[in-house]
Structure formats: C-alpha cells, structure tokens
Amino acid sequence: MAHLIRHKITNKITNTVHTVSHKSQAKVSGVFARLGFQAATDEEGLGFAECDDLDYDYRQGMQMDVMQREDSGHTEDGGEDGDIDGDSHYQRDGTGPRGTLKSSGSLEEVKPKITSWEAGWNVTNAIQGMFVLGLPYAILHGGYLGLFLIIFAAVVCCYTGKILIACLYEENEDGIKVRVRDSYVDIANACCAPRFPTLGGHVVNVAQLIELVMTCILYVVVSGNLMYNSFPGFPVSQKAWSVVATAALLPCAFLKNLKAVSKFSLLCTLAHFVINILVIAYCLSRAREWAWEKVKFYIDVKKFPISIGIIVFSYTSQIFLPSLEGNMQRPSEFHCMMDWTHIAACVLKGLFALVAYLTWADATKEVITDNLPYSIRAVVNLFLVAKALLSYPLPFFAAVEVLEKSLFQDGGRALFPDCYGPNGQLKTWGLGLRVALVVFTLLMAVFVPHFALLMGLTGSLTGAGLAFLLPSLFHLKLQWRNLLWHHVFFDVAIFFVGGICAISGLIHSIEGLIEAFKYDLPD
C-alpha cells in the first residue's frame, strides 16, 4: 500500500513538471517561429505530444503492473492479465513491430516493406535510365570539366537526397528522431508555415509536374529520333515517327495502377544495361582510333551550361526519395544505399560518356546511338524505343496523380469536381483530360524535337531546383538548430552554385532552342 501511495505522489509531481516543461517549450517555439527557424508545425507538435503521452502511459502502466505483481505475490507462470510479452518490443523509433490501430481497436495489416537492395534498384532505375544517352554530348561541349561535373553532380545529388530525408524527421524531448512528415510537399509546407502553410507544397507540385511532363515529352522525342535514324531510307520524318509512338501510348490514359507496367520494369532496365554494354563494347573495339587529343579543358561557353542541365537531369531522383525511405524495412540503411547507388552511377556514367566521346569525338550526336553503324544501330535503337515506350507510363501516371490530387481531389478544396464517380470509376471527362495530356506531350515533341536542348532545359528549370536549391534551403530552415558550421557552409554553397547553374543553363537552353528554330537546325 505504501508503494502505491508513494507512486501516486510521484505521478502528481511528474505531471506538473511535464506541464510546465511543455508550456515553456511552446514559448521558446514561438520565439523561434518569429525568427523563421521553427521546424514543427502545430500538427507536428500535436503528433509529438501524442507520442510522448503514449510512451508515458506505457511506462507508468508497466510500473503499476510490476508493483501489483509484487503486492499480490504472483506466481512464476503469471496470469493472463499480467502477461506483457506482447508489449516488450515497444519502440518509439519505429524499429520494433508496429501496426496501425483502426477505430475499432484492431490492427491493420502492415504493408510489406522493401529491402535496401530493392530501394537501391529503384534509385538506380531513376539515375541510370535512358538519359545517359545524352552524356557524351555533354563531354563534347565540356571536355574534362564535363567529366568533373558528372562526379560533382553525383556527390551533390547524393548529399541533397540525404538532407531531404533528414527534413522528414524532428527530435522529440528525449532526443529521439521521429518521422513527422511523409513527402516532399509536406517538407515544403512546413517551411512556409505558419504564414503560408500550403504555398511550398504548391511550388513543389508545380516543379514535379513540369519535370514529369517534360520526362514524358523526352520519351516521345527520343522514340521518334531513334526510329528515324534506324530506318533512314523510309519516307517518314522524325515527327511522323513521334506520332506513331504516341499512338502506341494512348492506352496509358486508361491506367488505374502501374501493376501491369511494373512487370516490365526489370526487363527494360536489364535490356538498357545490355545496350550500354554493347555500345561500350563497340567503342572498345575502336580503341586504337580514340581521339584523346580532342578531350581538353576548353569549354564551349555558350553550350556548356546546357551540358550542366543534361548532367543534373540524369541524376534527379529526389521526387520519390521520401516515399522510398518510408517504405524501407531498415530506414537506417538509407544513407548507405544512396552512397553505393550514386558511386556506381558516377563510375558507369563517366566511363560511358568518355568512351563514347573518344570514339566519335566532334561527330558525337545528341543521342549517342545515332553514331553507331547502321547494322548495329537498328537493333539497339529498336530495344531503346521499346524501353522508352514502356518507361513512359511511369512519369505519366505520376503526373496524372499530381494533377488529380491537387485539382480534383483536394479534400473538398479542389478547384474542380472529382473526376471519379461514387463507385471509383473514372468519369468520361476525366478520361478525356488524360488523353489530352498524352496529346500534349506529342505536340511538344513534334514542335520541339531537340532531345539534348529539352533535356538541358528541364534539368536547369526543375532538376536543379528539386535536386539542389530546395533541399539545401529546406535543410537550413528546418534543421537550423541542429546544424554544424560545415553543414551550413555546404548548404549555402550548393544553393548558390545550383542557382547560378540553373539560371545560366535555362538562359542558354532557351537561346539554343530559339537558334534551332531560327536557322532550322537538324533535330
């Protein structure tokens, strides 16, 4: 009995101390919010409070249970009510077994998580895709500096990917990092809160949408380019081949999920690696003719900024990293996964770009497979066209989701009525909008059929923003109180360097497109 009385008094004192602590913490948070460096929003603070209360109740419940056992002199087999084995693995950091509690009190089935190898495979798919075909063209205008940028972009994109994930977490009162945000949009909204709680999310959504749609356009452009150069004797122009490719892509408008498409992802990626190996093997067979003297430190001041955009765009994967990290079995392995994927990408891209440029030197074309002999080119290009067409649904479906959630399904705040019926079926006008998006990518590919210039424009416009500027800015804003001086230096340096590269690349890409139209340059 004395134990229980002493315990109740201790509880009263502890609760009073916690209340005073929470009030003082709220005042300090208000001060930091006025300074612009407060990370957690009101919703996140509520999440912390619920997490702390749950942990506190759990600890007190465990202590009461032990005291009751001592007072009742329980036996070694224990009673049904006293069995606590099921709760002994409780973890606040998410490392223990978890379940989501429904309103009825039952546990939802936990969705299957992916391993770090599977996560690395997804990142590799993003940064080792079709767009490495434009890297030799970047070496053409940048020489050794272009190779350096391939390495530099890998290091910076790996770092910004890590700090972007760091922005998903906040430390609770016990110093334990807790995931309080789920997406890039959540991070952006937290940075703009409390004055503009949704502005950041809108900016990120627009940037994501532009990058996804431009990726779809590039797939159509590269399909038309590859088909045109595979069959030069056919009386069919590149624009006509783009129309044929788009006709094959119209069924994408009927997609409800990517389950059917995902079955081909692994096969497409393996085929792409095989194609890269074939190109490198052909280049190695001509090693005696390599033009080492053509690789210089001289850069084309007018076209090199376009190369920067091409290189940056080939590394962008930040859009889906928050979702990827949240679905990993061991999120603690995320940093290691980012390291080995970007090291591998850096080595493979550098070798591919250098070997291809040494083989063709000043004759290097925007899409490197166009330099291959006709007998090899036709086979390789057909595989690449198949890969491009099968890769198109992924960014297309992601772009459709962004549009639908922001314009048609925003919890009653959407600008337009829901495009889905009560039974979940897509309405006719919703299907028409999807078809219109496919047609829009075709029109852009027909009127702007310049692969390298479009790739450089996209990399400078949204790639640099999503991969360089925004992660460093968000990291400074949300994690300011926890940053060391060298972290601040890196973030500020990346922000300014990324901004300069983005602006110069954007200007020169637009100038290149204007020049291409003005003088009717070949595609």
Side-chain angles (χ1 to χ4, degrees):
M1 189 67 183
H3 286 291
L4 291 175
I5 294 173
R6 188 164 53 247
H7 178 69
K8 289 181 178 180
I9 295 173
T10 304
N11 278 352
K12 291 288 185 181
I13 296 173
T14 305
N15 287 335
T16 304
V17 172
H18 273 282
T19 302
V20 173
S21 175
H22 286 317
K23 288 182 178 179
S24 61
Q25 184 178 3
K27 292 180 180 179
V28 174
S29 298
V31 173
F32 277 104
R34 293 186 186 96
L35 293 175
F37 292 106
Q38 174 61 23
T41 60
D42 293 339
E43 292 81 6
E44 293 159 1
L46 180 61
F48 278 137
E50 290 176 348
C51 184
D52 293 337
D53 290 342
L54 178 61
D55 184 55
Y56 177 76
D57 293 341
Y58 174 80
R59 292 198 302 263
Q60 299 303 328
M62 289 286 290
Q63 292 175 7
M64 289 293 293
D65 187 57
V66 172
M67 292 174 63
Q68 289 173 1
R69 288 186 182 192
E70 291 176 352
D71 291 340
S72 61
H74 64 282
T75 59
E76 61 179 1
D77 56 347
E80 182 179 354
D81 294 335
D83 189 5
I84 59 171
D85 271 351
D87 294 328
S88 61
H89 298 290
Y90 177 83
Q91 294 287 343
R92 295 183 62 187
D93 60 354
T95 56
R98 297 184 301 177
T100 303
L101 192 63
K102 292 183 179 179
S103 58
S104 61
S106 60
L107 289 175
E108 281 187 10
E109 183 180 356
V110 179
K111 293 182 179 180
K113 301 288 186 177
I114 61 175
T115 65
S116 58
W117 283 101
E118 291 170 330
W121 186 254
N122 286 322
V123 173
T124 301
N125 286 343
I127 62 179
Q128 293 274 39
M130 292 280 297
F131 305 114
V132 299
L133 300 176
L135 291 180
Y137 187 76
I139 304 298
L140 172 65
H141 299 298
Y144 286 111
L145 189 55
L147 284 175
F148 169 77
L149 275 176
I150 291 176
I151 301 172
F152 176 76
V155 173
V156 172
C157 287
C158 182
Y159 172 76
T160 56
K162 293 177 182 178
I163 63 176
L164 184 68
I165 296 304
C167 292
L168 298 173
Y169 291 83
E170 294 290 345
E171 288 187 357
N172 62 11
E173 62 180 12
D174 294 330
I176 299 174
K177 289 188 176 181
V178 180
R179 202 176 202 263
V180 296
R181 305 178 189 100
D182 293 322
S183 66
Y184 210 143
V185 172
D186 291 342
I187 296 172
N189 285 334
C191 283
C192 295
R195 294 186 178 180
F196 307 102
T198 60
L199 176 62
H202 292 324
V203 171
V204 170
N205 271 335
V206 170
Q208 289 179 339
L209 185 62
I210 292 174
E211 179 153 323
L212 291 169
V213 172
M214 290 297 289
T215 303
C216 293
I217 295 170
L218 284 169
Y219 281 132
V220 177
V221 171
V222 77
S223 297
N225 180 288
L226 292 170
M227 291 299 294
Y228 176 74
N229 286 282
S230 297
F231 306 101
F234 279 34
V236 182
S237 65
Q238 177 177 332
K239 296 178 180 179
W241 280 118
S242 296
V243 173
V244 173
T246 307
L249 295 171
L250 281 176
C252 293
F254 298 90
L255 281 176
K256 294 182 178 179
N257 55 64
L258 292 177
K259 185 177 294 184
V261 179
S262 63
K263 296 178 181 179
F264 299 98
S265 296
L266 177 61
L267 182 61
C268 289
T269 305
L270 290 175
H272 185 65
F273 275 111
V274 170
I275 291 168
N276 285 350
I277 291 172
L278 289 175
V279 174
I280 292 176
Y282 175 80
C283 294
L284 291 175
S285 69
R286 296 181 54 187
R288 294 182 179 179
E289 304 173 15
W290 282 359
W292 285 99
E293 69 280 359
K294 294 291 185 178
V295 187
K296 300 178 181 179
F297 288 98
Y298 166 79
I299 62 172
D300 187 332
V301 178
K302 189 174 182 179
K303 293 188 176 180
F304 182 65
I306 302 174
S307 301
I308 297 176
I310 293 173
I311 293 170
V312 171
F313 186 69
S314 70
Y315 277 109
T316 52
S317 63
Q318 277 74 5
I319 290 178
F320 65 89
L321 287 182
S323 175
L324 192 68
E325 189 266 352
N327 283 284
M328 290 180 64
Q329 292 176 359
R330 298 178 180 177
S332 59
E333 296 179 352
F334 177 82
H335 281 208
C336 179
M337 180 273 295
M338 288 290 288
D339 288 337
W340 65 258
T341 51
H342 282 74
I343 290 173
C346 176
V347 172
L348 292 175
K349 287 181 178 181
L351 287 176
F352 181 84
L354 179 61
V355 168
Y357 175 72
L358 288 174
T359 303
W360 289 287
D362 293 339
T364 301
K365 297 184 180 179
E366 291 187 5
V367 181
I368 195 60
T369 54
D370 291 344
N371 288 103
L372 292 171
Y374 176 75
S375 57
I376 303 176
R377 185 199 319 162
V379 177
V380 171
N381 283 356
L382 286 176
F383 274 101
L384 284 173
V385 169
K387 176 174 172 53
L389 295 180
L390 291 172
S391 299
Y392 180 96
L394 299 172
F396 174 82
F397 191 78
V400 166
E401 281 195 322
V402 171
L403 283 173
E404 289 180 351
K405 289 179 180 179
S406 58
L407 298 179
F408 304 99
Q409 299 174 327
D410 193 10
R413 296 171 297 177
L415 297 175
F416 305 100
D418 197 343
C419 55
Y420 288 90
N423 57 353
Q425 293 292 324
L426 185 65
K427 295 180 181 178
T428 305
W429 62 269
L431 178 61
L433 290 177
R434 290 189 174 197
V435 173
L437 183 58
V438 177
V439 174
F440 174 76
T441 61
L442 167 64
L443 294 176
M444 287 293 294
V446 167
F447 289 106
V448 193
H450 299 275
F451 179 74
L453 292 174
L454 277 176
M455 190 174 170
L457 177 65
T458 307
S460 301
L461 182 63
T462 61
L466 293 171
F468 288 6
L469 304 181
L470 293 183
S472 56
L473 182 63
F474 293 165
H475 193 228
L476 286 171
K477 179 71 184 293
L478 297 178
Q479 302 293 325
W480 176 260
R481 290 170 291 172
N482 303 321
L483 297 182
L484 300 176
W485 71 267
H486 60 276
H487 293 143
V488 175
F489 173 76
F490 288 154
D491 290 348
V492 172
I494 289 172
F495 183 82
F496 279 104
V497 172
I500 293 171
C501 292
I503 293 172
S504 61
L506 180 62
I507 293 173
H508 286 87
S509 295
I510 294 175
E511 287 181 350
L513 288 172
I514 293 174
E515 184 179 345
F517 280 106
K518 185 176 180 181
Y519 297 104
D520 195 20
L521 298 179
D523 303 335

